[in-house]
Amino acid sequence: MLPEKAKSQSKPIENDSSRLDASFYTSVKPIVQNQINLATRIERALTGVDANQVRAVRGQVLINATNIERMLRREYPEYGSVCHSQNSLTGNPQSQIYCSVYAASREMLNLAPILDRILSRRGESAIVRRLPLVSGEHHSDPVLSLAPMQRPQLGQRAIPFITNEPNLRLSHSNVIGRRTKTAIANYTPPLKPAIAPPDDGMKILAIAQQHINQAKALFPNPERFHDPRETNRILDQFAFALDPQEEQTYAKILQQPNTGIFRVLPVTAYQRPQNVLQNRLQPSVGDRHPFPVIGQTRTNFTPTLPLKLVNPPINPEQTHLQIIPQGLDYSFMVDLGNIPIEKLDPQLQNIPTPIREAFLTYQPPQLFSQIQTERRRILSRKNPNPIFQPSLPANLERTYLARIIQYQLPREITENIFLTPQQRLHIDTILKNTQASDTILALRPVRQRRDGSYTVIWRVLHQMPDPVIQDLEAYLRY
């Protein structure tokens, strides 16, 4: 009877011990999660342009270090001797977590002078909101003393000093090779700040992140921690990229050569919002989600498919598919109806004869001025051939045939740069930078989302000879 009684008493003791361990992880997990969130906010402040974010994390760094030290004095009084010893990482998991959290908070505290320096510079570009607890810095700092202050509104973005950008409708009928009038005389768009994160600050933050990762690894389920960076990445993919299962759904079509699938977004997704403070070094939507490559990559030139959704002036209420031209590029499209994209052949044998002849026999102009004239005719829908349309209504279960003509011109021509006497000796080298491509491809929207974007499958059908510009040298400026 004695062994049975001892056995029955040992089980509750074991359960109490397991509950004690679980309660420890439960109580410490919010502390580690706060460290993760603070590291993300610090990184955003170091790379952003908002002085108010820098000020906020500057105070949070101090409060975080104070709270961590107060907690350790209460829960782990011997942390001072253990965490500063060389054996702090070889002790039990509880002491290792405590020491890792403490080390991360001390590293973040080392960012205080760097954040003070950054705060002084950020005040030159945006309004600094007034905070009651730190009003003294407004008088002591040489830059912040010149910046107007407002009451904090944490839900709003930073208000830049320059907020008078005119709302000009973007036009693709620009003229290259000669000076033209601007929409507003003597107007220069404001230059957005270019802010690179400080190297010393990013190194300190990386060390703090290492300590946080060490603490996370000691938890039974480290994957249950919420990572704001991963959340932002997932949200960015959800807003601008394909769903993971879409490529699997159309895997049979995508196995064919020269095919692809991508998400077509509204043209507004690629435009910079006006009167909003931004860091021009941060990657844009086009940088994070580039257009698909539809041709062989060449030197400084890669043919792409810049397909976007627009609301043309002829019918603003209807969404159109349009290949947005850049520089000297232009394109035209035609609706083939409900023809499966995989049944089209390179010679376009199974489409109406007028469309096939128009697409296969069209010759791009070879003179620079004629190319620009042809480009304007197609964009303004004044081309003699009614088949050539710059955009068409976006509809599911429809296949569109498009021909894309793209040019890569020398910078000396696109930016109207005067050549120096030394550069005139290398005109042949400058003209060698001119490249072009001419591609016939098919497009088929297969899905429409609630936000209006489309998932489109594309397939390159025929690669035409590269266009040639015969008189490009005449547009170099001496």
Side-chain angles (χ1 to χ4, degrees), residues 1 68 139 162 167 202 220 223 236-237 266 285-286 301 304 310 318 324 327 341-342 361 364 398:
M1 293 177 62
I68 293 296
H139 303 285
I162 303 176
N167 186 12
M202 298 304 292
E223 68 278 357
D236 185 77
Q237 290 290 114
V285 174
F301 176 61
T304 59
V310 299
Q318 191 174 30
I324 302 299
I341 194 172
E342 60 272 17
T361 61
R398 310 291 291 185

mmCIF file of all heavy atoms in Angstrom, residues 1 68 139 162 167 202 220 223 236-237 266 285-286 301 304 310 318 324 327 341-342 361 364 398:
data_model
loop_
_atom_site.group_PDB
_atom_site.id
_atom_site.type_symbol
_atom_site.label_atom_id
_atom_site.label_comp_id
_atom_site.label_asym_id
_atom_site.label_seq_id
_atom_site.Cartn_x
_atom_site.Cartn_y
_atom_site.Cartn_z
ATOM 1 N N MET A 1 0.813 -1.206 0.000
ATOM 2 C CA MET A 1 0.000 0.000 0.000
ATOM 3 C C MET A 1 0.850 1.261 0.000
ATOM 4 O O MET A 1 0.475 2.277 -0.563
ATOM 5 C CB MET A 1 -0.925 0.023 1.222
ATOM 6 C CG MET A 1 -2.002 -1.061 1.181
ATOM 7 S SD MET A 1 -3.013 -1.048 2.654
ATOM 8 C CE MET A 1 -3.712 0.588 2.518
ATOM 9 N N ILE A 68 12.249 46.541 -18.358
ATOM 10 C CA ILE A 68 12.959 45.253 -18.330
ATOM 11 C C ILE A 68 13.805 45.143 -17.070
ATOM 12 O O ILE A 68 13.815 44.100 -16.386
ATOM 13 C CB ILE A 68 13.820 45.091 -19.591
ATOM 14 C CG1 ILE A 68 12.936 44.959 -20.839
ATOM 15 C CG2 ILE A 68 14.736 43.881 -19.473
ATOM 16 C CD1 ILE A 68 12.056 43.742 -20.866
ATOM 17 N N HIS A 139 13.075 73.745 -27.753
ATOM 18 C CA HIS A 139 13.860 74.958 -27.539
ATOM 19 C C HIS A 139 15.361 74.678 -27.572
ATOM 20 O O HIS A 139 16.152 75.561 -27.901
ATOM 21 C CB HIS A 139 13.486 75.592 -26.191
ATOM 22 C CG HIS A 139 12.022 75.898 -26.080
ATOM 23 N ND1 HIS A 139 11.418 76.955 -26.730
ATOM 24 C CD2 HIS A 139 11.032 75.257 -25.396
ATOM 25 C CE1 HIS A 139 10.129 76.975 -26.450
ATOM 26 N NE2 HIS A 139 9.860 75.943 -25.648
ATOM 27 N N ILE A 162 6.154 71.074 -47.897
ATOM 28 C CA ILE A 162 5.714 71.405 -49.249
ATOM 29 C C ILE A 162 4.443 70.614 -49.538
ATOM 30 O O ILE A 162 4.481 69.401 -49.730
ATOM 31 C CB ILE A 162 6.822 71.092 -50.279
ATOM 32 C CG1 ILE A 162 8.095 71.851 -49.940
ATOM 33 C CG2 ILE A 162 6.360 71.437 -51.678
ATOM 34 C CD1 ILE A 162 9.260 71.524 -50.844
ATOM 35 N N ASN A 167 -2.395 69.018 -59.097
ATOM 36 C CA ASN A 167 -2.969 67.752 -59.538
ATOM 37 C C ASN A 167 -3.001 67.740 -61.061
ATOM 38 O O ASN A 167 -3.986 68.123 -61.690
ATOM 39 C CB ASN A 167 -4.373 67.573 -58.966
ATOM 40 C CG ASN A 167 -4.936 66.190 -59.280
ATOM 41 O OD1 ASN A 167 -4.225 65.297 -59.719
ATOM 42 N ND2 ASN A 167 -6.224 66.028 -59.064
ATOM 43 N N MET A 202 21.992 50.561 -37.642
ATOM 44 C CA MET A 202 21.551 49.253 -38.136
ATOM 45 C C MET A 202 22.400 48.124 -37.544
ATOM 46 O O MET A 202 21.887 47.020 -37.303
ATOM 47 C CB MET A 202 21.615 49.228 -39.661
ATOM 48 C CG MET A 202 20.696 50.235 -40.345
ATOM 49 S SD MET A 202 18.958 50.076 -39.865
ATOM 50 C CE MET A 202 18.549 48.486 -40.595
ATOM 51 N N PRO A 220 9.079 26.739 -26.178
ATOM 52 C CA PRO A 220 8.633 25.459 -26.757
ATOM 53 C C PRO A 220 8.102 25.611 -28.180
ATOM 54 O O PRO A 220 8.305 24.730 -29.019
ATOM 55 C CB PRO A 220 7.532 25.007 -25.779
ATOM 56 C CG PRO A 220 7.819 25.728 -24.509
ATOM 57 C CD PRO A 220 8.422 27.028 -24.894
ATOM 58 N N GLU A 223 7.645 29.514 -33.134
ATOM 59 C CA GLU A 223 6.960 30.001 -34.331
ATOM 60 C C GLU A 223 5.659 30.722 -33.991
ATOM 61 O O GLU A 223 5.066 31.363 -34.872
ATOM 62 C CB GLU A 223 6.675 28.847 -35.279
ATOM 63 C CG GLU A 223 5.655 27.835 -34.783
ATOM 64 C CD GLU A 223 6.242 26.798 -33.842
ATOM 65 O OE1 GLU A 223 7.473 26.849 -33.625
ATOM 66 O OE2 GLU A 223 5.489 25.951 -33.333
ATOM 67 N N ASP A 236 1.675 42.765 -48.201
ATOM 68 C CA ASP A 236 2.114 43.309 -49.481
ATOM 69 C C ASP A 236 1.851 42.307 -50.604
ATOM 70 O O ASP A 236 1.418 42.692 -51.701
ATOM 71 C CB ASP A 236 3.601 43.660 -49.401
ATOM 72 C CG ASP A 236 4.100 44.344 -50.657
ATOM 73 O OD1 ASP A 236 3.822 45.543 -50.830
ATOM 74 O OD2 ASP A 236 4.769 43.678 -51.473
ATOM 75 N N GLN A 237 2.111 41.029 -50.352
ATOM 76 C CA GLN A 237 1.812 40.001 -51.350
ATOM 77 C C GLN A 237 0.319 39.916 -51.618
ATOM 78 O O GLN A 237 -0.113 39.765 -52.771
ATOM 79 C CB GLN A 237 2.332 38.647 -50.862
ATOM 80 C CG GLN A 237 3.846 38.523 -50.832
ATOM 81 C CD GLN A 237 4.436 38.485 -52.216
ATOM 82 O OE1 GLN A 237 5.151 39.396 -52.633
ATOM 83 N NE2 GLN A 237 4.155 37.429 -52.943
ATOM 84 N N PRO A 266 -4.273 48.519 -60.972
ATOM 85 C CA PRO A 266 -4.635 49.841 -61.500
ATOM 86 C C PRO A 266 -3.415 50.730 -61.627
ATOM 87 O O PRO A 266 -2.433 50.592 -60.881
ATOM 88 C CB PRO A 266 -5.626 50.378 -60.453
ATOM 89 C CG PRO A 266 -6.124 49.168 -59.734
ATOM 90 C CD PRO A 266 -5.005 48.180 -59.747
ATOM 91 N N VAL A 285 6.038 50.075 -55.520
ATOM 92 C CA VAL A 285 5.284 48.882 -55.903
ATOM 93 C C VAL A 285 5.898 48.248 -57.149
ATOM 94 O O VAL A 285 6.021 47.021 -57.248
ATOM 95 C CB VAL A 285 3.807 49.240 -56.140
ATOM 96 C CG1 VAL A 285 3.039 48.033 -56.672
ATOM 97 C CG2 VAL A 285 3.166 49.737 -54.853
ATOM 98 N N GLY A 286 6.309 49.079 -58.107
ATOM 99 C CA GLY A 286 6.939 48.544 -59.307
ATOM 100 C C GLY A 286 8.273 47.886 -59.029
ATOM 101 O O GLY A 286 8.666 46.936 -59.721
ATOM 102 N N PHE A 301 18.944 46.569 -71.096
ATOM 103 C CA PHE A 301 17.623 46.604 -71.728
ATOM 104 C C PHE A 301 16.964 45.237 -71.574
ATOM 105 O O PHE A 301 17.544 44.209 -71.957
ATOM 106 C CB PHE A 301 17.733 46.979 -73.211
ATOM 107 C CG PHE A 301 16.416 46.948 -73.938
ATOM 108 C CD1 PHE A 301 15.381 47.781 -73.557
ATOM 109 C CD2 PHE A 301 16.207 46.082 -75.002
ATOM 110 C CE1 PHE A 301 14.158 47.755 -74.218
ATOM 111 C CE2 PHE A 301 14.997 46.052 -75.669
ATOM 112 C CZ PHE A 301 13.969 46.897 -75.273
ATOM 113 N N THR A 304 9.778 44.121 -71.324
ATOM 114 C CA THR A 304 8.834 43.754 -70.285
ATOM 115 C C THR A 304 7.403 43.971 -70.774
ATOM 116 O O THR A 304 7.179 44.486 -71.880
ATOM 117 C CB THR A 304 9.071 44.575 -69.008
ATOM 118 O OG1 THR A 304 8.943 45.975 -69.316
ATOM 119 C CG2 THR A 304 10.453 44.295 -68.438
ATOM 120 N N VAL A 310 -6.572 51.019 -66.571
ATOM 121 C CA VAL A 310 -6.792 52.458 -66.665
ATOM 122 C C VAL A 310 -8.277 52.713 -66.892
ATOM 123 O O VAL A 310 -9.045 51.814 -67.253
ATOM 124 C CB VAL A 310 -5.966 53.075 -67.815
ATOM 125 C CG1 VAL A 310 -4.479 52.871 -67.586
ATOM 126 C CG2 VAL A 310 -6.381 52.489 -69.164
ATOM 127 N N GLN A 318 -15.455 52.609 -67.255
ATOM 128 C CA GLN A 318 -15.104 51.243 -67.638
ATOM 129 C C GLN A 318 -13.595 51.055 -67.519
ATOM 130 O O GLN A 318 -12.811 51.922 -67.913
ATOM 131 C CB GLN A 318 -15.553 50.946 -69.065
ATOM 132 C CG GLN A 318 -15.448 49.466 -69.440
ATOM 133 C CD GLN A 318 -16.038 49.202 -70.808
ATOM 134 O OE1 GLN A 318 -16.020 50.068 -71.660
ATOM 135 N NE2 GLN A 318 -16.566 47.997 -71.023
ATOM 136 N N ILE A 324 1.131 50.462 -70.790
ATOM 137 C CA ILE A 324 1.531 51.850 -70.588
ATOM 138 C C ILE A 324 2.866 52.107 -71.274
ATOM 139 O O ILE A 324 3.866 51.440 -70.972
ATOM 140 C CB ILE A 324 1.627 52.171 -69.093
ATOM 141 C CG1 ILE A 324 0.287 51.901 -68.410
ATOM 142 C CG2 ILE A 324 2.043 53.614 -68.880
ATOM 143 C CD1 ILE A 324 -0.855 52.727 -68.941
ATOM 144 N N GLY A 327 8.768 56.479 -72.577
ATOM 145 C CA GLY A 327 9.729 57.002 -73.540
ATOM 146 C C GLY A 327 9.176 56.995 -74.948
ATOM 147 O O GLY A 327 8.173 57.644 -75.251
ATOM 148 N N ILE A 341 -5.935 30.574 -75.078
ATOM 149 C CA ILE A 341 -4.628 31.138 -75.397
ATOM 150 C C ILE A 341 -3.660 30.056 -75.867
ATOM 151 O O ILE A 341 -2.738 30.322 -76.644
ATOM 152 C CB ILE A 341 -4.082 31.893 -74.171
ATOM 153 C CG1 ILE A 341 -2.896 32.780 -74.549
ATOM 154 C CG2 ILE A 341 -3.700 30.930 -73.055
ATOM 155 C CD1 ILE A 341 -2.440 33.685 -73.429
ATOM 156 N N GLU A 342 -3.860 28.820 -75.415
ATOM 157 C CA GLU A 342 -2.939 27.749 -75.805
ATOM 158 C C GLU A 342 -3.175 27.278 -77.231
ATOM 159 O O GLU A 342 -2.332 26.566 -77.797
ATOM 160 C CB GLU A 342 -3.053 26.569 -74.841
ATOM 161 C CG GLU A 342 -4.430 25.923 -74.773
ATOM 162 C CD GLU A 342 -5.333 26.579 -73.754
ATOM 163 O OE1 GLU A 342 -5.019 27.710 -73.334
ATOM 164 O OE2 GLU A 342 -6.345 25.956 -73.384
ATOM 165 N N THR A 361 2.180 42.213 -90.814
ATOM 166 C CA THR A 361 2.759 43.048 -91.878
ATOM 167 C C THR A 361 3.063 44.472 -91.427
ATOM 168 O O THR A 361 3.652 45.227 -92.199
ATOM 169 C CB THR A 361 1.799 43.103 -93.079
ATOM 170 O OG1 THR A 361 0.546 43.691 -92.676
ATOM 171 C CG2 THR A 361 1.561 41.707 -93.631
ATOM 172 N N PRO A 364 7.176 49.214 -88.178
ATOM 173 C CA PRO A 364 7.367 50.455 -87.420
ATOM 174 C C PRO A 364 8.165 51.468 -88.235
ATOM 175 O O PRO A 364 9.037 51.097 -89.033
ATOM 176 C CB PRO A 364 8.154 50.003 -86.189
ATOM 177 C CG PRO A 364 7.978 48.525 -86.122
ATOM 178 C CD PRO A 364 7.810 48.058 -87.534
ATOM 179 N N ARG A 398 -11.875 36.329 -72.268
ATOM 180 C CA ARG A 398 -11.537 36.989 -73.527
ATOM 181 C C ARG A 398 -10.026 36.896 -73.699
ATOM 182 O O ARG A 398 -9.256 36.947 -72.733
ATOM 183 C CB ARG A 398 -11.965 38.445 -73.558
ATOM 184 C CG ARG A 398 -13.392 38.702 -73.159
ATOM 185 C CD ARG A 398 -14.381 38.191 -74.167
ATOM 186 N NE ARG A 398 -14.351 38.945 -75.420
ATOM 187 C CZ ARG A 398 -15.194 38.742 -76.424
ATOM 188 N NH1 ARG A 398 -16.124 37.802 -76.314
ATOM 189 N NH2 ARG A 398 -15.133 39.467 -77.515
#
